[in-house]
């Protein structure tokens, strides 16, 4: 395998481990303190009704 393919495979394995809740050495996760959801929706051209479907959450979650 080429070095590019090796790096891609390593990244995918690390992403999977992170998704499973496992420790991934040297992983840095950036979580913003606040998110302006309305601004993101406007930028992406989404309504309050369509946005939840695009990010994989229910409309009930949006209401809550």
């Amino acid at each position: 395998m080429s070095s590019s393919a090796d790096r891609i495979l390593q990244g995918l394995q690390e992403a999977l481990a992170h998704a499973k809740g496992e420790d991934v050495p040297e992983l840095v996760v950036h979580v913003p303190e606040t998110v302006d959801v309305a601004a993101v929706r406007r930028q992406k051209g989404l309504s309050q009704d369509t946005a939840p479907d695009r990010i994989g959450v229910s409309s009930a979650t949006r209401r809550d």
Side-chain angles (χ1 to χ4, degrees), residues 44-60:
K44 299 298 179 187
L46 300 172
S47 70
Q48 285 185 339
D49 292 327
T50 59
D53 292 336
R54 292 289 300 269
I55 62 170
V57 298
S58 70
S59 295

Side-chain angles (χ1 to χ4, degrees), residues 16-27:
L16 181 59
H18 176 67
K20 290 179 177 180
E22 299 172 6
D23 183 46
V24 180
E26 300 181 27
L27 175 69

Side-chain angles (χ1 to χ4, degrees), residues 16-47:
L16 181 59
H18 176 67
K20 290 179 177 180
E22 299 172 6
D23 183 46
V24 180
E26 300 181 27
L27 175 69
V28 177
V29 178
H30 300 278
V31 179
E33 288 188 31
T34 61
V35 175
D36 186 346
V37 176
V40 173
R41 278 192 300 98
R42 279 193 303 275
Q43 182 183 31
K44 299 298 179 187
L46 300 172
S47 70

